[in-house]
Amino acid sequence: MPEIDDSEPMVSCIACETEIERDNAFTTSAGELACESCVSYCGYCESVGLDSDSWYNVDDDNWCEDCYQNESFTCNRCEYTTNNNRDSGTDVQNQGYWCEDCASNHTTYCDDCNERYADGVGECDCGNNGTSARVHNYSHKPNPVFHGGRSNLYMGFELEMSFGKENFTPDEYHAAVKEVEQLESDDICYLKQDSSIEGWGFELVTHPHTLHAYENATPLWNYIERLRDNYGARSWDTSTCGLHVHVSRTAFKSGAHTHRFLSLIYRNPREMMKLAGRKNSRYARFDDVYKPDEWGIPQFNLRDKIHSGGFSERFSAVNTNNEYTLELRFFRGNMKREGIMSALELCHASVEYTRNMSVPDVKLGMLKWEWFADWVATNNGLYPNLYQRMSKVPSISLSTPTLINA
């Protein structure tokens, strides 16, 4: 590293040779002095370098060469480069490592030979080239069938699960899949592949239901119970499974209502995560709503999540990139009816609690957790599973001690 003479008040920029005041000069990681116009910052380690240095595009940001080499991942299919803490790639047979989007949408997983194959490239070694036809490709999206009568507030959920039972066999797997046949025929739910699930597993996806329709969806709950008890399906006690709830955009009467709903969730991250049973995850981030101001100080900002055309992180606590739904991604997977219902009730209650809230209400502090918890307690007959869940989670206190008949 070159020695710098700090006795002179004026220095010359190493890149453009412009004379600048020493106090306004930037020192690069190589120890060189440069003006503001000639330097760049690494988006990962925040080191300072010259514009003429080697910079690499990672997640649409400049990264230095060391961080690019050691901390990033480039998909072999789409060639998009991202932070390897978010996506380290999925091994696709004879194709290298693909990002999650490419692996989910353009590959088929064969349970018999435990390999993932690129669609259209040929069959796997065992010749089956995939699971049962009733486990659809990740990109499978049938026309939604709505259950529960006329309503603006419909919800659908995606439940990821894996089969952790010892000596689990392909025959058991196909038997578990076969049992969904009637439910899929009745447009209640269907099964999909998901590359994020380790080992044997799939994602159960429901058609949109009202909260009341879910309360009475006995065949659905019975199937999930059989998957858990008869086939050893697990979701809570795994490292790769989660529960995602989609809320219809028609449930919100205005952009201001959507803003209040998102504010309630993002301004109470500790309580939301405790209820969901899942800490801040790289797949469901709570910190992506904090944007640096002109001084580089993080500020709470929901602009990108409200306005169309803005960039919003998909792996966020609430994914707002979908055209027809908001996706709440921060729930831990759960194979019990009361656990899934508590998540659905939390989503429903959050929409209804913020529906008619006024600006003075917000200024009064009604988006704080204590206000919402009291409202749920008052309406616990409508949200019995959520109420019971809230009463068991440490640091969440409820003022109403008894259940009210709905």
Side-chain angles (χ1 to χ4, degrees):
M1 182 179 296
E3 294 185 3
I4 298 176
D5 181 5
D6 57 3
S7 63
E8 295 295 330
M10 301 295 291
V11 295
S12 177
C13 171
I14 189 68
C16 67
E17 300 183 352
T18 300
E19 291 291 313
I20 51 176
E21 294 182 5
R22 176 177 296 279
D23 290 343
N24 293 331
F26 290 80
T27 303
T28 70
S29 56
E32 300 165 324
L33 296 178
C35 66
E36 183 176 9
S37 300
C38 293
V39 297
S40 293
Y41 301 85
C42 174
Y44 186 85
C45 70
E46 299 183 351
S47 63
V48 180
L50 296 175
D51 286 339
S52 57
D53 293 342
S54 296
W55 296 98
Y56 299 85
N57 188 301
V58 180
D59 285 329
D60 299 320
D61 200 1
N62 280 340
W63 281 28
C64 67
E65 186 170 7
D66 284 347
C67 292
Y68 173 76
Q69 294 291 342
N70 299 313
E71 306 295 342
S72 72
F73 160 72
T74 300
C75 174
N76 279 19
R77 181 180 182 275
C78 68
E79 299 184 348
Y80 185 78
T81 303
T82 187
N83 187 330
N84 63 19
N85 288 323
R86 296 186 185 177
D87 188 349
S88 57
T90 298
D91 188 13
V92 180
Q93 184 75 0
N94 300 322
Q95 303 294 322
Y97 283 82
W98 289 12
C99 66
E100 182 178 357
D101 284 344
C102 288
S104 296
N105 295 321
H106 302 286
T107 69
T108 298
Y109 181 77
C110 178
D111 290 289
D112 293 332
C113 63
N114 195 29
E115 295 286 355
R116 185 169 293 279
Y117 294 85
D119 292 342
V121 174
E123 293 189 347
C124 61
D125 295 338
C126 68
N128 290 334
N129 203 35
T131 62
S132 165
R134 283 182 293 275
V135 179
H136 301 279
N137 189 282
Y138 183 80
S139 59
H140 176 71
K141 290 185 179 180
N143 291 329
V145 177
F146 296 84
H147 297 267
R150 295 180 61 85
S151 174
N152 289 326
L153 207 176
Y154 290 96
M155 295 177 290
F157 68 80
E158 303 165 355
L159 176 61
E160 299 164 343
M161 65 188 76
S162 64
F163 296 87
K165 190 171 64 171
E166 290 186 13
N167 301 320
F168 191 72
T169 67
D171 288 343
E172 289 179 290
Y173 180 82
H174 295 310
V177 171
K178 184 174 177 57
E179 290 202 36
V180 81
E181 187 171 13
Q182 188 60 50
L183 288 168
E184 182 168 0
S185 178
D186 293 338
D187 295 316
I188 302 298
C189 68
Y190 51 94
L191 306 178
K192 291 170 54 173
Q193 301 170 16
D194 191 323
S195 64
S196 67
I197 301 173
E198 292 182 354
W200 298 87
F202 48 65
E203 179 179 270
L204 183 150
V205 184
T206 67
H207 283 272
H209 289 59
T210 63
L211 184 61
H212 181 69
Y214 277 120
E215 291 170 349
N216 296 284
T218 303
L220 171 65
W221 303 122
N222 288 345
Y223 176 53
I224 293 175
E225 181 179 351
R226 291 195 303 275
L227 289 173
R228 182 191 71 222
D229 295 342
N230 298 349
Y231 298 101
R234 296 291 180 265
S235 191
W236 179 273
D237 50 351
T238 71
S239 60
T240 59
C241 296
L243 170 66
H244 304 166
V245 179
H246 288 258
V247 178
S248 54
R249 286 187 178 272
T250 57
F252 302 95
K253 67 178 187 178
S254 64
H257 182 197
T258 305
H259 191 282
R260 295 191 296 269
F261 169 81
L262 292 171
S263 295
L264 175 68
I265 293 172
Y266 278 102
R267 288 192 180 278
N268 298 284
R270 290 183 179 86
E271 292 80 5
M272 290 292 176
M273 284 188 278
K274 286 178 180 178
L275 271 182
R278 193 179 197 181
K279 292 183 179 180
N280 196 24
S281 163
R282 65 189 179 101
Y283 295 112
R285 299 171 56 203
F286 275 87
D287 58 1
D288 66 313
V289 294
Y290 289 89
K291 309 294 183 183
D293 61 13
E294 59 180 315
W295 306 103
I297 301 173
Q299 301 291 334
F300 186 82
N301 190 335
L302 292 173
R303 180 184 59 193
D304 289 342
K305 289 191 170 294
I306 299 296
H307 298 296
S308 61
F311 174 78
S312 178
E313 172 67 62
R314 175 195 170 197
F315 295 124
S316 176
V318 183
N319 172 22
T320 59
N321 292 331
N322 299 314
E323 184 176 0
Y324 300 109
T325 66
L326 301 185
E327 179 190 14
L328 286 75
R329 298 175 50 88
F330 56 90
F331 297 102
R332 192 171 180 173
N334 203 309
M335 296 297 294
K336 294 184 178 180
R337 177 189 184 278
E338 57 269 25
I340 300 173
M341 283 299 302
S342 70
L344 295 169
E345 289 174 5
L346 175 61
C347 297
H348 192 283
S350 299
V351 173
E352 295 304 330
Y353 175 69
T354 56
R355 180 175 299 282
N356 296 313
M357 193 178 291
S358 65
V359 173
D361 292 336
V362 174
K363 291 182 178 180
L364 186 63
M366 289 182 66
L367 289 175
K368 293 181 179 179
W369 181 259
E370 292 78 8
W371 287 77
F372 176 63
D374 284 343
W375 184 86
V376 171
T378 303
N379 294 276
N380 59 51
L382 296 175
Y383 307 112
N385 297 284
L386 174 60
Y387 178 75
Q388 291 292 344
R389 172 78 179 148
M390 291 173 73
S391 66
K392 296 177 182 178
V393 176
S395 82
I396 295 180
S397 60
L398 297 175
S399 58
T400 306
T402 57
L403 287 173
I404 300 171
N405 291 328

XYZ file of all heavy atoms in Angstrom, residues 274-305:
275
model
N -43.017 -14.530 16.351
C -43.311 -15.442 17.452
C -44.598 -16.214 17.169
O -44.668 -17.426 17.419
C -43.423 -14.664 18.756
C -42.093 -14.191 19.308
C -42.270 -13.379 20.567
C -40.922 -12.902 21.110
N -41.087 -12.068 22.317
N -45.608 -15.521 16.669
C -46.858 -16.204 16.328
C -46.634 -17.206 15.204
O -47.204 -18.299 15.205
C -47.912 -15.185 15.884
C -48.800 -14.574 16.968
C -49.800 -13.629 16.341
C -49.524 -15.651 17.755
N -45.816 -16.834 14.234
C -45.584 -17.692 13.069
C -44.648 -18.848 13.391
O -44.580 -19.820 12.635
C -45.009 -16.869 11.923
N -43.904 -18.743 14.501
C -42.982 -19.803 14.871
C -41.712 -19.825 14.057
O -41.013 -20.838 13.999
N -41.385 -18.692 13.431
C -40.248 -18.673 12.506
C -39.506 -17.357 12.635
O -40.110 -16.293 12.531
C -40.757 -18.836 11.075
C -39.714 -19.151 10.028
C -40.386 -19.312 8.663
N -39.558 -19.970 7.694
C -39.920 -20.206 6.433
N -41.127 -19.847 6.031
N -39.111 -20.813 5.600
N -38.204 -17.417 12.882
C -37.405 -16.214 12.963
C -37.162 -15.643 11.572
O -37.442 -16.287 10.574
C -36.069 -16.505 13.661
C -36.213 -16.852 15.142
C -34.847 -17.048 15.786
C -34.983 -17.359 17.265
N -33.664 -17.560 17.903
N -36.637 -14.412 11.554
C -36.371 -13.735 10.289
C -35.565 -14.652 9.373
O -34.469 -15.075 9.701
C -35.600 -12.443 10.545
C -35.627 -11.510 9.358
O -36.528 -11.583 8.522
N -34.658 -10.623 9.286
N -36.134 -14.991 8.224
C -35.549 -15.962 7.310
C -35.158 -15.279 6.009
O -35.773 -14.286 5.602
C -36.576 -17.073 7.039
O -36.230 -17.816 5.887
N -34.147 -15.825 5.348
C -33.756 -15.267 4.048
C -34.843 -15.479 3.005
O -34.827 -14.865 1.949
C -32.439 -15.870 3.571
C -32.446 -17.353 3.253
C -31.029 -17.839 3.000
N -30.943 -19.260 2.702
C -30.805 -19.749 1.476
N -30.767 -18.933 0.453
N -30.710 -21.047 1.283
N -35.798 -16.370 3.295
C -36.923 -16.587 2.387
C -38.134 -15.728 2.754
O -39.123 -15.705 2.026
C -37.334 -18.061 2.391
C -36.292 -18.990 1.841
C -35.643 -19.896 2.662
C -35.935 -18.960 0.493
C -34.667 -20.752 2.166
C -34.966 -19.801 -0.017
C -34.337 -20.699 0.825
O -33.373 -21.539 0.316
N -38.080 -15.041 3.906
C -39.222 -14.241 4.364
C -38.707 -13.084 5.212
O -38.887 -13.032 6.418
C -40.207 -15.101 5.153
N -38.057 -12.137 4.568
C -37.357 -11.065 5.273
C -38.308 -9.979 5.765
O -39.232 -9.577 5.068
C -36.306 -10.446 4.353
C -35.240 -11.417 3.882
C -34.373 -10.795 2.811
N -33.768 -9.557 3.273
C -33.344 -8.594 2.465
N -33.483 -8.730 1.153
N -32.800 -7.513 2.944
N -38.044 -9.499 6.981
C -38.776 -8.365 7.528
C -38.003 -7.055 7.378
O -38.541 -5.991 7.639
C -39.074 -8.588 9.019
C -40.321 -9.391 9.284
C -40.273 -10.769 9.323
C -41.540 -8.761 9.487
C -41.419 -11.516 9.578
C -42.688 -9.490 9.731
C -42.637 -10.871 9.776
N -36.734 -7.132 6.966
C -35.901 -5.935 6.946
C -35.828 -5.257 5.580
O -35.157 -4.239 5.429
C -34.490 -6.273 7.423
C -33.809 -7.355 6.590
O -34.427 -7.838 5.610
O -32.673 -7.727 6.913
N -36.519 -5.790 4.584
C -36.401 -5.216 3.246
C -37.219 -3.943 3.070
O -37.176 -3.328 2.004
C -36.803 -6.240 2.179
C -38.267 -6.613 2.255
O -38.739 -6.882 3.373
O -38.944 -6.639 1.219
N -37.982 -3.530 4.083
C -38.779 -2.293 3.984
C -38.017 -1.096 4.551
O -38.573 0.001 4.639
C -40.125 -2.446 4.713
C -40.997 -3.473 4.012
C -39.930 -2.817 6.175
N -36.773 -1.311 4.946
C -35.962 -0.202 5.445
C -34.986 0.224 4.352
O -34.108 -0.536 3.950
C -35.224 -0.605 6.720
C -36.164 -0.758 7.895
C -36.786 -1.977 8.159
C -36.458 0.326 8.708
C -37.671 -2.113 9.218
C -37.337 0.201 9.770
C -37.948 -1.014 10.020
O -38.833 -1.138 11.058
N -35.169 1.450 3.865
C -34.358 1.977 2.769
C -33.514 3.141 3.281
O -33.993 3.967 4.070
C -35.259 2.472 1.627
C -36.316 1.462 1.168
C -35.707 0.242 0.544
C -36.785 -0.708 0.041
N -36.229 -1.955 -0.515
N -32.262 3.246 2.839
C -31.416 4.348 3.312
C -31.865 5.692 2.749
O -32.252 5.798 1.583
C -30.031 3.964 2.784
C -30.301 3.058 1.616
C -31.556 2.319 1.944
N -31.839 6.732 3.602
C -32.146 8.082 3.143
C -30.884 8.700 2.538
O -29.892 8.005 2.293
C -32.719 8.934 4.277
C -31.735 9.102 5.441
O -30.532 8.767 5.258
O -32.148 9.573 6.510
N -30.915 10.005 2.289
C -29.775 10.652 1.634
C -28.508 10.598 2.476
O -27.392 10.775 1.963
C -30.119 12.112 1.326
C -30.479 12.930 2.561
C -30.822 14.363 2.206
O -30.086 14.958 1.413
O -31.833 14.870 2.729
N -28.671 10.330 3.786
C -27.512 10.225 4.669
C -27.104 8.776 4.901
O -26.199 8.503 5.684
C -27.822 10.887 6.020
C -28.294 12.292 5.885
C -29.566 12.746 5.997
C -27.490 13.440 5.571
N -29.624 14.090 5.780
C -28.366 14.557 5.521
C -26.126 13.630 5.335
C -27.902 15.835 5.239
C -25.685 14.910 5.060
C -26.561 15.979 5.012
N -27.804 7.848 4.242
C -27.493 6.446 4.414
C -28.110 5.818 5.647
O -27.769 4.691 6.015
N -29.042 6.534 6.292
C -29.685 6.023 7.510
C -30.952 5.272 7.113
O -31.804 5.812 6.407
C -30.038 7.180 8.463
C -28.761 7.941 8.843
C -30.754 6.662 9.702
C -29.016 9.201 9.647
N -31.119 4.005 7.530
C -32.312 3.227 7.140
C -33.598 3.861 7.643
O -33.694 4.268 8.804
C -32.069 1.860 7.806
C -30.596 1.797 8.050
C -30.170 3.204 8.337
N -34.582 3.961 6.761
C -35.891 4.528 7.098
C -36.978 3.548 6.652
O -36.877 2.918 5.604
C -36.094 5.881 6.395
C -35.053 6.934 6.725
C -35.150 7.430 8.159
O -36.223 7.380 8.757
N -34.037 7.900 8.705
N -38.033 3.441 7.459
C -39.168 2.581 7.116
C -39.848 3.121 5.863
O -40.233 4.287 5.808
C -40.152 2.551 8.293
C -41.288 1.583 8.123
C -41.122 0.240 8.405
C -42.533 2.012 7.686
C -42.169 -0.662 8.256
C -43.585 1.126 7.531
C -43.400 -0.214 7.817
N -40.000 2.281 4.841
C -40.522 2.746 3.556
C -41.239 1.596 2.848
O -40.624 0.595 2.492
C -39.365 3.265 2.686
C -39.841 3.990 1.444
O -40.948 3.753 0.962
N -39.012 4.872 0.911
N -42.551 1.756 2.637
C -43.352 0.734 1.965
C -43.658 1.096 0.514
O -44.464 0.418 -0.129
C -44.677 0.528 2.716
C -44.593 -0.108 4.099
C -45.961 -0.085 4.769
C -44.074 -1.533 4.018
N -43.014 2.138 -0.009
C -43.354 2.631 -1.349
C -43.262 1.537 -2.404
O -44.176 1.371 -3.221
C -42.430 3.788 -1.719
C -42.696 4.387 -3.100
C -41.672 5.460 -3.405
N -40.331 4.897 -3.363
C -39.221 5.640 -3.348
N -39.311 6.948 -3.336
N -38.028 5.047 -3.320
N -42.175 0.759 -2.385
C -41.986 -0.260 -3.419
C -42.995 -1.396 -3.306
O -43.214 -2.140 -4.261
C -40.570 -0.836 -3.333
C -39.512 0.159 -3.782
O -39.892 1.133 -4.462
O -38.328 -0.032 -3.448
N -43.618 -1.540 -2.152
C -44.600 -2.606 -1.961
C -46.018 -2.153 -2.307
O -46.909 -2.978 -2.450
C -44.559 -3.110 -0.515
C -43.310 -3.900 -0.203
C -43.407 -4.598 1.128
C -42.254 -5.570 1.285
N -42.310 -6.686 0.328
